[in-house]
Amino acid sequence: MTQAIPHAGGRLRNFIGGAFRDSEHTFANINPVDGSEINRVCRASRSDVDGAVDAARQALQGDWGTMSAAQRAVVLHRVADGIEARFDEFVAAEMADTGKSLQQASSIDIPRGAANFRIFADLQKSRATECFHTATDDGRGALNYAVDKPLGVVAVIAPWNLPLLLLTWKLAPAMAAGNAVIAKPSEETPATATLLAEVMRDAGVPAGAFNLVHGFGPGCTGEWITSHSGVDAITFTGESKTGSAIMRAAADGVKPISFELGGKNAALIFADCDFDAAVEGTARSVFTNGGQVCLCTERVYVERKIFPQFVAALKQKAEALNIGWPQDADTDMGPLISHKHRDKVLSFFSSARADGAEVITGGDIPKFNDTRDSGAFVQPTIFTGLPETADIVRKEVFGPVCHIAPFDSEEEAIQLANNTDYGLAATVWTDNLQRAHRVAGVMDVGIAWVNTWYLRDLRTPFGGVKLSGIGREGGAHSLSFYSEPMNICIKL
Ligand code: NAD
């Protein structure tokens, strides 16, 4: 990977009304591989947020608001083309901000960022509306049909774990449906969103249809957006407790919200599974992106008769992971997003030990004897032996760690998997067809995988139950959230 980090040593600016804007206050954008500063980020002021809302409103009254879905689709395909044309820059920026591996950034994050625009542009173009012929007493009837209108100005608030992928997962359907958007990436990962603003400008997206404001959450940019009277709807991905705060901010304006929140996902491994596939898939589901994917498994339950062999095999996989420089082709895992997040993950490790956990592997900081020792790395970690009440079994850690425990019956496995405040995803490993359907169907989650993990079809409903979210996005579900159906009734 020879691509220089875009904007390194410079400033990442806000993008409002079609133009980049500097600001008085900046904050540091840190590379978690070695703790170095990559660039300065312009923190949006309250008046920048007001400016973004005004620009979005004007776009809805102007060129963007008068475009057909087909015309918007042409523009959004140009945005996807623009991401692909600057693919290496996007990959370099995402790796520098997050420390994720080249392999992951170039095969998942950035391709999905471009794909989101294509998929939702095309879906919206071919979207049907309802139409009914309604009987009337005079025999002439009435035509009742629905038209979908944009919600207006949509705030898109994104997390740091899959920065471009998750931002565009919401921006693309919101824009395809005709809304004007205000995007706020995580303060930890401002770079690819800034590149995206350049792509939007160069693709001819009308001024104000896409606005970008940088900054923090509480008492800052995030809160100013979500409590702004000129914002019509909020779509958010992040922690469950942030979701509660945003919900309170949205309550005043009775704004529609769509929330994709935290998870504490279980994997159930039955003795009748394909053992090697289950070990491989579970290792992937625990350690991908350093465990920093909302869908990652943090609780592994294994049928007792294969428990010792499974623990040994998962340990071997964890210890074989190559932790290191993101740009090396054979790197499996980079650092965590920040030192602050590493402190949080390490405090879970300490509490697990204090609760009496047995450490199967890891539990510490790796030693490199180079600049990576200033980075935010932790070892892939497996604990066992804790009661279900232990913090590390109940709370989302969001790191490369799982707790593994045995079960004796299908009923017990189901009870353990569902005994959580979260409800995002579950994974079931079995070669028994009836059991696969039976167990997957009673998982109290938004998505259950059988004999695979993270196999996504973007047309399917995506979201969580309980603390894991509100609403569904994906395919037609996204377009339905980002538009308001209106009924028109014509007496014939
Ligand atoms: P976070 O909640 O700390 O921050 C997410 C975004 O919200 C950031 O842009 C942040 O600045 C902003 N924010 C924070 N407080 C705010 C406030 N009071 N008002 C407005 N905005 C505010 O989450 P994170 O640490 O960036 O991301 C990790 C979390 O995201 C994990 O809990 C993970 O499970 C979750 N996540 C969920 C999904 C999903 O699809 N369900 C996907 C990815 C990540």
Side-chain angles (χ1 to χ4, degrees), residues 428-450:
V428 181
W429 295 89
T430 176
D431 271 0
N432 176 324
L433 184 62
Q434 284 80 11
R435 170 174 278 158
H437 285 285
R438 205 165 52 227
V439 176
V442 295
M443 290 293 97
D444 204 0
V445 294
I447 179 165
W449 280 289
V450 177

Side-chain angles (χ1 to χ4, degrees), residues 217-235:
C220 192
T221 322
E223 191 178 314
W224 298 334
I225 300 171
T226 52
S227 57
H228 202 293
S229 59
V231 167
D232 298 300
I234 302 166
T235 179

Side-chain angles (χ1 to χ4, degrees), residues 455-476:
L455 199 168
R456 294 272 297 117
D457 181 325
L458 304 186
R459 296 166 298 184
T460 56
F462 183 81
V465 301
K466 301 194 271 186
L467 281 187
S468 291
I470 296 179
R472 291 292 175 274
E473 298 205 30

Side-chain angles (χ1 to χ4, degrees), residues 60-393:
L60 291 169
Q61 302 304 319
D63 288 352
W64 185 245
T66 54
M67 276 185 181
S68 67
Q71 288 168 324
R72 290 196 301 271
V74 171
V75 174
L76 296 180
H77 273 285
R78 281 205 301 266
V79 172
D81 294 342
I83 295 172
E84 284 160 0
R86 298 179 65 180
F87 189 83
D88 290 347
E89 281 179 79
F90 273 92
V91 169
E94 208 72 301
M95 283 165 54
D97 269 9
T98 61
K100 67 176 67 202
S101 68
L102 171 62
Q103 195 278 335
Q104 196 198 311
S106 59
S107 68
I108 300 177
D109 292 71
I110 307 308
R112 267 282 305 276
N116 284 334
F117 285 102
R118 297 200 192 285
I119 288 164
F120 287 109
D122 291 346
L123 276 175
Q124 175 69 24
K125 214 166 54 168
S126 56
R127 198 165 166 218
T129 56
E130 289 175 313
C131 184
F132 302 98
H133 182 272
T134 310
T136 55
D137 288 345
D138 64 7
R140 287 162 58 187
L143 196 59
N144 255 307
Y145 63 97
V147 285
D148 287 312
K149 294 184 167 178
L151 295 169
V153 177
V154 175
V156 180
I157 314 245
W160 46 256
N161 61 322
L162 302 164
L164 185 74
L165 188 160
L166 288 173
L167 187 71
T168 55
W169 169 244
K170 288 170 174 290
L171 278 179
M175 293 179 74
N179 299 284
V181 294
I182 300 174
K184 196 199 91 57
S186 167
E187 55 275 26
E188 306 280 7
T189 52
T192 47
T194 310
L195 282 178
L196 181 65
E198 293 175 7
V199 165
M200 292 269 181
R201 177 198 60 195
D202 298 345
V205 171
F210 169 86
N211 304 278
L212 170 71
V213 281
H214 291 295
F216 301 85
C220 192
T221 322
E223 191 178 314
W224 298 334
I225 300 171
T226 52
S227 57
H228 202 293
S229 59
V231 167
D232 298 300
I234 302 166
T235 179
F236 167 72
T237 304
E239 278 196 50
S240 303
K241 70 172 167 22
T242 311
S244 303
I246 292 179
M247 210 165 173
R248 281 191 289 276
D252 275 348
V254 199
K255 290 171 193 168
I257 49 171
S258 174
F259 283 174
E260 296 177 351
L261 308 177
K264 189 72 192 173
N265 311 306
L268 300 183
I269 325 285
F270 289 92
D272 56 22
C273 69
D274 173 337
F275 186 87
D276 292 343
V279 172
E280 177 69 39
T282 304
R284 221 164 54 79
S285 78
V286 174
F287 300 117
T288 292
N289 205 40
Q292 302 167 118
V293 179
C294 54
L295 301 165
C296 275
T297 300
E298 293 195 2
R299 297 179 297 138
V300 181
Y301 299 104
V302 186
E303 197 165 345
R304 196 177 297 275
K305 43 184 137 152
I306 60 163
F307 186 70
Q309 302 93 296
F310 194 90
V311 171
L314 194 63
K315 169 179 157 66
Q316 203 178 24
K317 286 276 175 208
E319 290 174 357
L321 289 172
N322 197 358
I323 315 170
W325 299 109
Q327 64 272 21
D328 288 351
D330 60 352
T331 292
D332 298 306
M333 209 179 96
L336 298 183
I337 187 67
S338 64
H339 290 80
K340 185 171 158 224
H341 186 54
R342 183 173 72 173
D343 289 345
K344 180 178 160 193
V345 170
L346 290 175
S347 79
F348 272 108
F349 290 5
S350 303
S351 85
R353 282 198 181 87
D355 287 341
E358 180 189 337
V359 184
I360 303 287
T361 188
D364 221 327
I365 295 171
K367 193 89 190 114
F368 297 102
N369 294 320
D370 57 38
T371 54
R372 287 173 294 178
D373 288 334
S374 308
F377 292 86
V378 291
Q379 293 171 331
T381 298
I382 305 173
F383 291 111
T384 190
L386 288 175
E388 288 296 299
T389 49
D391 256 13
I392 205 163
V393 183

